Amino acid sequence: PNITLLKNNGNTTRPNGIDITPDGEFAYISNCCQGHDPYCPRGRGIWWKHKILHNESWEEYGHPTLANSHVPIIINFGRTSGCADGFKIIPGLDDDDDDDVPNSPMIIGSCPGGLCILDTKDWKLYEPLLAYLGMPERVSNVAVGGDGYLYITGEGKLWRLKIHEDYREQMIKGRYSYIMEQRERDRKRNAEGGGEAKARDDL
């Protein structure tokens, strides 16, 4: 098979979950800390952020590559079972603060001791942990079902959690609709004389 190594980063000592932001610009990779190195002790959750290089990489390598890691999301949960494992990136929930600027995507996935929802904004400026749900077993992976439920796996078990009706539609809508909405916002901004839309570094 034609397998290409995109990144060989020593910082990600135990890479596990991976997902791409809805706009296709960034890849997040979770690091499952088990105490094998001082930077990654048990009970710490780490999610690395990589810029996906499209045009430059295609010209030089014939495929996209990943840039060096941005400052990762790091949360210390204490010495508890489980780690930052499987996760899913979903469009940021609309808080009605500013309809012209989309919220940062969110990470929903496993973390030490349970299930987490994280904001992908700069974690040094904002509190990344939006919600935490302790689980009776270690969580390994999650998926957002089109039926309005969150499906969770771990320790040979499968759980189902109902998504609140206020957020259900936004959580299960696909990447295509998110990208189309974002492009429509940019088109309106340009039509109103705002010039080219600024790059959104928080996505």
Side-chain angles (χ1 to χ4, degrees), residues 35-52:
H36 294 83
D37 65 81
Y39 183 74
C40 202
R42 180 168 295 184
R44 175 175 291 179
I46 300 178
W47 294 263
W48 290 95
K49 177 182 180 182
H50 296 267
K51 173 71 174 176
I52 300 176

Side-chain angles (χ1 to χ4, degrees), residues 2 25 70 94 99 113-114 116 156 181 190 192:
N2 186 13
E25 295 297 319
H70 289 231
D94 187 5
D99 291 335
C116 295
E181 290 172 8
N190 293 336
E192 292 171 357

Side-chain angles (χ1 to χ4, degrees), residues 12 16-19 27-33 39-40 43-50 69-77 83-89 106-112 114-121 123 128-129 131-132:
T12 312
N16 218 312
I18 183 171
D19 200 6
Y28 279 84
I29 301 174
S30 62
N31 202 27
C32 183
C33 294
Y39 183 74
C40 202
R44 175 175 291 179
I46 300 178
W47 294 263
W48 290 95
K49 177 182 180 182
H50 296 267
S69 305
H70 289 231
V71 176
I73 299 173
I74 303 175
I75 302 177
N76 293 312
F77 295 89
C83 68
D85 199 340
F87 65 91
K88 188 70 176 175
I89 293 179
M106 301 189 306
I107 292 173
I108 182 167
S110 62
C111 60
L115 188 71
C116 295
I117 299 179
L118 308 173
D119 197 332
T120 59
K121 291 179 183 177
W123 71 279
L129 185 59
Y132 175 84

Side-chain angles (χ1 to χ4, degrees), residues 140-157:
S140 59
N141 218 325
V142 299
V144 179
D147 57 356
Y149 284 88
L150 187 68
Y151 290 86
I152 308 164
T153 60
E155 296 293 310
K157 298 180 175 63

